[in-house]
Amino acid sequence: MTVLDDRIEMAEANDELTLDVMFEWLEKMPIPEGYKTEIVGGHIFMSPQRDHHWDIILDIVEQLRAKYPRRRVKSDVRIDYPGHLNGFATDVTALAEGAQKDDKGRWQYKDIEFVAEVISKDTAANDYGPKKSAYAAADVPLYLVVDPYQGRCHLYTNPKGDDYATETKVPFGDEVDLTGTVVDLTLRTDEFPRD
């Protein structure tokens, strides 16, 4: 058992465990450079940022810049979502025009128009499971899962409760059609590397 585990048990026993407390602990830990840290359902996940992963993220960000100003496109920035202790550092987030930070200086999930997650082997279950549920519960209109292992994208639309009513699968090489949505552009996938 680690010191962090001890602190989590103490906080849970005192009903004090919050995302702020958990992230404060993480900020004090020696997390290796190049690792992404998130809290999903009260569990801490750290995963390395791989080269292919970053190439896809950057490609999506560059394409979104055709519509979104730089300050409305975020990557690896903490945003708290509905559910038990969900503090995600999403790979790509596009914010609505007029989005405002809350009184703690954080972006709010109610202002998110688009989220993209690029799958890592160790955290894929989160992206297809609890994170998808949290994005749907937050009414994020468009959730794109990019899976370099399958060589395909999964676009989830029409959030209903804690799930999405529609899933569209798009193989790498084809375009993800977001026209007619709040994003209103087409994402090319022909340069997405496979893993």
Side-chain angles (χ1 to χ4, degrees):
M1 185 173 271
T2 67
V3 172
L4 182 59
D5 291 331
D6 288 339
R7 289 183 179 169
I8 289 173
E9 280 186 19
M10 286 174 21
E12 285 178 334
N14 294 327
D15 293 327
E16 295 176 18
L17 190 60
T18 66
L19 284 172
D20 289 340
V21 167
M22 293 179 78
F23 276 107
E24 183 180 313
W25 294 336
L26 287 170
E27 288 172 8
K28 295 175 184 176
M29 290 180 61
I31 297 171
E33 186 175 328
Y35 274 70
K36 173 180 167 173
T37 306
E38 295 185 297
I39 300 172
V40 180
H43 300 279
I44 297 168
F45 292 89
M46 288 187 266
S47 56
Q49 186 81 289
R50 292 181 341 276
D51 193 45
H52 285 3
H53 192 95
W54 173 243
D55 286 343
I56 294 170
I57 292 168
L58 187 56
D59 194 344
I60 294 169
V61 167
E62 288 173 344
Q63 291 184 65
L64 287 175
R65 292 279 291 118
K67 176 178 176 180
Y68 291 89
R70 182 179 45 82
R71 63 177 170 50
R72 288 181 40 211
V73 179
K74 306 296 176 189
S75 179
D76 290 340
V77 173
R78 174 186 167 188
I79 298 175
D80 297 346
Y81 286 89
H84 177 68
L85 298 175
N86 286 323
F88 305 157
T90 304
D91 290 330
V92 181
T93 302
L95 297 166
E97 188 172 346
Q100 297 288 321
K101 291 183 178 181
D102 64 16
D103 58 351
K104 292 183 179 182
R106 291 193 202 105
W107 296 106
Q108 302 172 72
Y109 68 79
K110 69 179 182 69
D111 293 324
I112 296 173
E113 293 183 338
F114 172 86
V115 165
E117 295 282 13
V118 181
I119 294 297
S120 294
K121 281 184 181 178
D122 294 337
T123 59
N126 287 338
D127 295 325
Y128 284 114
K131 289 176 82 173
K132 183 176 99 172
S133 294
Y135 294 139
D139 284 326
V140 173
L142 302 166
Y143 174 40
L144 181 69
V145 174
V146 181
D147 193 327
Y149 305 102
Q150 295 179 0
R152 101 172 46 139
C153 298
H154 300 259
L155 177 64
Y156 298 97
T157 57
N158 302 315
K160 305 280 186 225
D162 65 353
D163 201 0
Y164 285 90
T166 308
E167 176 185 7
T168 305
K169 296 176 184 176
V170 179
F172 283 13
D174 289 356
E175 294 180 338
V176 179
D177 185 5
L178 303 175
T179 58
T181 71
V182 292
V183 174
D184 199 28
L185 56 82
T186 302
L187 287 178
R188 295 176 324 281
T189 66
D190 55 321
E191 294 186 15
F192 288 3
R194 291 187 68 136
D195 209 348

